[in-house]
Structure formats: structure tokens, C-alpha cells
Amino acid sequence: MGVVHLLYTLFGSKLNPRDAQLMAAMKQGSLVVSAQTNVWRAWIGFNASHSLGFLLFSAVFGHLALSYPALLFGSVYLAAAGAAFLAALVVAARRYFFRAPFVVLIVALVLYLAGIVAAHL
């Protein structure tokens, strides 16, 4: 999901507004926090960093689960941090995204929790 989202952000048009006037307004408008960027560039940056967060989580927790399962599943902190991160993404997806990312994140959370349970059996 992170790779697809990053490709859509950097090379595709799927995350562009359907309204050309809105896109033009985003490119002209600056943010209150800083006039050094425009809303469009911030939009691309937010989406790219969002994708990179997915990729980092997947790389780190996937590596731990495959190479060091005792470390991941034996650490209440690491196991809880991963579950909390995925749960927060589920909440954000439900509130701000559309159906597909919401469903994918629920599946990821369920599988993650199932891995924790299976590791403790």
C-alpha cells in the first residue's frame, strides 16, 4: 500500500483534485504557517511522507517479525507500539480516507494481532 501510494503521489494523477480550478488554487495559495510553500506542494509532501511512514513501518516490523520474532513478540512495548500505530491508522482511514485503505488497514491490524496471539500460544 505504501509503494502504490507513493507512486500515485509522485508519478500519477489519482491524488489530484478532479476540479482543475481547485488544483490551480492549491498551487497559488500558501499556508498560514509559512509562505515558503504552497498548498499543492504541502499536499504532495504530506502524501509522500505518509507513504514513507507506511514503508518504514512495514520494513521495520516485517523484518522483526521474520528475523527476530522473539524480540518483537516478546517485547510488550514493541508489540503494543505496532498495534497502536496500526489502530491509529485504522481510525484515520475511517475518518479521512475512502473504503479501500480502511479495509486494507483493518486486515493489517487483524493479521498483526493474530501474529501476536500465535506467538504466545
Side-chain angles (χ1 to χ4, degrees):
M1 187 167 71
V3 170
V4 170
H5 191 265
L6 188 59
L7 291 173
Y8 283 171
T9 299
L10 299 177
F11 304 110
S13 61
K14 292 195 180 278
L15 296 177
N16 293 1
R18 292 180 190 270
D19 181 347
Q21 290 177 331
L22 175 58
M23 189 168 177
M26 291 173 76
K27 288 181 178 182
Q28 292 176 358
S30 64
L31 301 173
V32 172
V33 71
S34 173
Q36 292 178 311
T37 191
N38 60 40
V39 176
W40 179 253
R41 287 177 49 143
W43 168 253
I44 297 299
F46 294 147
N47 276 285
S49 61
H50 185 72
S51 301
L52 294 171
F54 284 145
L55 293 173
L56 179 63
F57 176 86
S58 300
V60 170
F61 280 82
H63 176 69
L64 288 174
L66 295 172
S67 300
Y68 304 99
L71 174 63
L72 174 59
F73 299 121
S75 168
V76 172
Y77 174 79
L78 285 176
F85 181 75
L86 287 172
L89 288 174
V90 166
V91 170
R94 177 69 175 112
R95 183 162 181 169
Y96 301 110
F97 304 159
F98 50 99
R99 184 170 163 68
F102 176 63
V103 170
V104 168
L105 287 165
I106 285 178
V107 170
L109 178 58
V110 168
L111 291 173
Y112 183 87
L113 294 174
I116 292 172
V117 170
H120 287 94
L121 292 180

